[in-house]
Amino acid sequence: MTSTAPDHKALGAFLRERRGRVTPADVGLPQVGRRRTPGLRREEVAQLAGVGVTWYTWLEQGRASHPSDQVLDAVARTLRLRPEERRHLMILAGRAADTGVDAPNPLMEVRPEHIALLERLLPFPAALQTATYDLVAANRTYRFLFGDLDSVDPADRNCAWLLFTNHEWRDSLVEPEVVLRDLAGRLRAREAEFRQHPRWSGLLGGLREHSPEFVRYWDEHDVRGDRPGQLRRYQSSRVGQLDTVFQSLWLDRERGERVVVLTPADADSARRLERLDSLVGAAPAWTARDGVLADALIG
């Protein structure tokens, strides 16, 4: 674990939002009188965490410098944070991004072994994705899962951008609210962990400008981790509904680069993925952005 620059403002906003979600009953306190706002009071969090009220107030106001790990742990327990939320808290406090490298390039290098993996995963849709959800390469079934990825401007080939702003991609979601709220939570966790990536500012600024739905979910300050085995349902214009299991396989954990794979959740979806691959079988087995292929692959 390596330290990162703290983001006191984001830390305070995260704590305030999470405090509002915890009721006195959740932590064994009696409900006395009417409360003007939901959740715990600052003095209650301070008491339960064993810290001074003034110090906790400063923490929420972004004025507390260098809070100890013990204080952060106590606050995390009091606010009943999940493991991924506690990790997010520590990262915002400047503690614990698992990144020991300098700022990564905006796009990852695609190597021969990556292409071989995408090909072998057919007919399961699979793509290579950066820490900021940019799509740099995909196999044939992923390319045609939402339409045709190659018809999208390379600068817009980003999962978050497309799902929040592209009607064709969004309309493919059977449960859009579930998927998009989860995506916003994972973006918030990723942004804190890989904040040195130069793509974040433009991506998040663009989403805030063009997607009120993103703004609503983002401002909830929810934090989601990459949980294996998530069910994702899509409506394909070519083959109908596809019930899939979403998985992330790390290629380079320190840089946040991974392969995402959608495996069928049932026999009908497996047959439909095979049919999708046969319908688009004249296309190459994989596609990639210009400028991301390793020399060994080009040669």
Side-chain angles (χ1 to χ4, degrees):
M1 300 282 260
T2 60
S3 62
T4 60
D7 188 338
H8 297 300
K9 182 178 178 180
L11 174 62
F14 180 64
L15 290 175
R16 290 193 299 274
E17 202 281 335
R18 279 298 175 274
R19 176 166 59 84
R21 295 192 182 195
V22 183
T23 68
D26 290 334
V27 294
L29 293 177
Q31 179 74 52
V32 179
R34 177 176 293 181
R35 293 177 178 243
R36 289 178 297 174
T37 57
L40 297 177
R41 299 186 176 102
R42 284 174 175 169
E43 56 267 27
E44 291 170 335
V45 175
Q47 178 186 355
L48 292 167
V51 301
V53 176
T54 300
W55 175 253
Y56 180 75
T57 300
W58 286 354
L59 198 60
E60 282 200 2
Q61 292 175 344
R63 298 166 56 197
S65 59
H66 308 299
S68 69
D69 289 352
Q70 291 80 4
V71 166
L72 294 171
D73 278 332
V75 170
R77 287 193 300 271
T78 300
L79 297 181
R80 304 167 68 88
L81 299 186
R82 301 190 307 269
E84 62 266 31
E85 292 171 332
R86 179 196 175 279
R87 174 178 173 77
H88 184 67
L89 173 71
M90 300 299 282
I91 290 171
L92 292 179
R95 289 296 194 282
D98 287 329
T99 52
V101 295
D102 296 331
N105 294 325
L107 293 177
M108 62 183 286
E109 181 183 67
V110 178
R111 301 193 55 78
E113 57 268 28
H114 300 155
I115 295 302
L117 180 60
L118 293 179
E119 291 178 336
R120 291 299 297 269
L121 285 170
L122 286 169
F124 301 162
L128 303 185
Q129 196 179 82
T130 69
T132 55
Y133 286 77
D134 284 314
L135 295 166
V136 296
N139 67 9
R140 184 167 54 222
T141 46
Y142 192 100
R143 171 184 168 182
F144 291 102
L145 184 64
F146 307 102
D148 182 357
L149 184 63
D150 278 11
S151 69
V152 176
D153 188 304
D156 291 336
R157 292 180 197 174
N158 177 282
C159 281
W161 176 256
L162 291 170
L163 287 172
F164 275 108
T165 68
N166 183 291
H167 292 299
E168 190 172 32
W169 276 59
R170 193 192 187 286
D171 290 347
S172 73
L173 300 176
V174 176
E175 301 168 305
E177 182 176 351
V178 172
V179 174
L180 296 179
R181 175 173 272 114
D182 180 73
L183 177 55
R186 285 188 284 124
L187 278 171
R188 182 171 283 282
R190 283 282 193 94
E191 191 271 339
E193 184 172 0
F194 300 102
R195 73 179 69 169
Q196 77 276 22
H197 201 296
R199 276 281 286 136
W200 282 117
S201 177
L203 174 62
L204 297 178
L207 286 170
R208 292 191 70 90
E209 180 179 356
H210 294 282
S211 174
E213 194 170 25
F214 169 77
V215 173
R216 185 168 71 254
Y217 295 144
W218 181 260
D219 288 348
E220 290 177 354
H221 287 269
D222 203 5
V223 179
R224 305 287 181 94
D226 288 316
R227 298 184 298 277
Q230 289 180 293
L231 183 64
R232 288 288 182 261
R233 295 186 173 96
Y234 303 98
Q235 187 66 33
S236 166
S237 61
R238 290 181 169 87
V239 296
Q241 184 164 320
L242 295 166
D243 292 353
T244 66
V245 177
F246 179 87
Q247 301 180 69
S248 292
L249 309 174
W250 290 113
L251 296 173
D252 188 330
R253 180 67 179 83
E254 290 188 338
R255 292 169 61 90
E257 296 167 355
R258 61 182 181 167
V259 56
V260 295
V261 188
L262 302 172
T263 57
D266 52 51
D268 286 342
S269 295
R271 286 191 290 270
R272 288 173 184 146
L273 283 175
E274 291 173 357
R275 175 163 172 72
L276 175 60
D277 193 41
S278 67
L279 288 174
V280 297
W286 57 274
T287 183
R289 294 197 200 189
D290 292 338
V292 299
L293 303 180
D295 291 341
L297 183 58
I298 297 172

